[in-house]
């Protein structure tokens, strides 16, 4: 199993027309946890991997987590898609106590990337996993 950071910029991205901010993701985790997310490249995600959501605004923070449901697939209009399911209780825990990028040793994150092994304990602890 691998852990990935996925960047959501509420000023640029949308989820079914809604801004992908922490409030929207928390609501979706409770009401509609299954999502299909855009990827610029396939990556090597596998079912069971975790996807940690780094929100860029207003303050950068990891405040949600999901399981990858299936391998990314090619979609001609958007490059790749990946199906994930938000983890409701873990997302609620992170929403209440998000993790700042400096606590994870992240420099500037521009794309989906793997979580550094030394950062994983902080994420798991905050998410209650």
């Amino acid at each position: 199993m691998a852990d990935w950071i996925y960047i959501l910029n509420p000023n640029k991205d949308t989820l079914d027309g809604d801004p992908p901010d922490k409030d929207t993701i928390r609501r979706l985790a409770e009401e509609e946890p299954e999502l299909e997310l855009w990827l610029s490249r396939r990556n090597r995600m596998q079912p069971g991997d975790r996807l940690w959501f780094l929100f860029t605004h207003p303050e950068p923070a990891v405040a949600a987590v999901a399981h990858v449901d299936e391998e990314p697939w090619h979609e001609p209009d958007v490059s790749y898609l990946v199906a994930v399911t938000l983890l409701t209780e873990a997302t609620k825990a992170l929403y209440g106590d998000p993790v700042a990028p400096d606590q994870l040793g992240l420099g500037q994150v521009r794309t989906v990337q793997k979580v550094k092994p030394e950062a994983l304990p902080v994420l798991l602890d905050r998410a209650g996993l």
Side-chain angles (χ1 to χ4, degrees):
M1 174 173 48
D3 288 88
W4 303 85
I5 296 285
Y6 186 91
I7 292 138
L8 283 172
N9 183 339
N11 295 331
K12 293 182 181 178
D13 302 319
T14 63
L15 286 172
D16 294 331
D18 291 327
D21 57 22
K22 291 183 266 188
D23 293 326
T24 298
I25 294 294
R26 180 175 182 223
R27 180 182 52 76
L28 288 172
E30 295 181 293
E31 297 173 5
E32 295 181 58
E34 295 176 355
L35 304 173
E36 288 182 356
L37 302 171
W38 175 84
L39 298 170
S40 61
R41 57 189 174 98
R42 185 185 178 286
N43 295 304
R44 301 226 182 269
M45 291 178 190
Q46 299 292 318
D49 286 358
R50 281 184 292 247
L51 202 60
W52 300 88
F53 293 90
L54 173 64
F55 297 86
T56 61
H57 289 65
E59 293 294 321
V62 174
V65 62
H67 269 146
V68 173
D69 296 327
E70 55 188 272
E71 289 184 27
W73 66 91
H74 185 262
E75 190 68 35
D77 295 335
V78 295
S79 293
Y80 292 91
L81 292 175
V82 63
V84 304
T85 300
L86 291 163
L87 302 177
T88 303
E89 294 306 315
T91 294
K92 286 168 39 177
L94 285 164
Y95 176 88
D97 193 11
V99 180
D102 63 345
Q103 294 175 289
L104 302 175
L106 294 175
Q108 186 173 10
V109 181
R110 295 183 184 184
T111 185
V112 175
Q113 69 183 47
K114 283 193 172 181
V115 173
K116 294 179 181 181
E118 61 272 15
L120 190 55
V122 174
L123 291 168
L124 293 171
D125 181 57
R126 295 279 182 86
L129 297 174

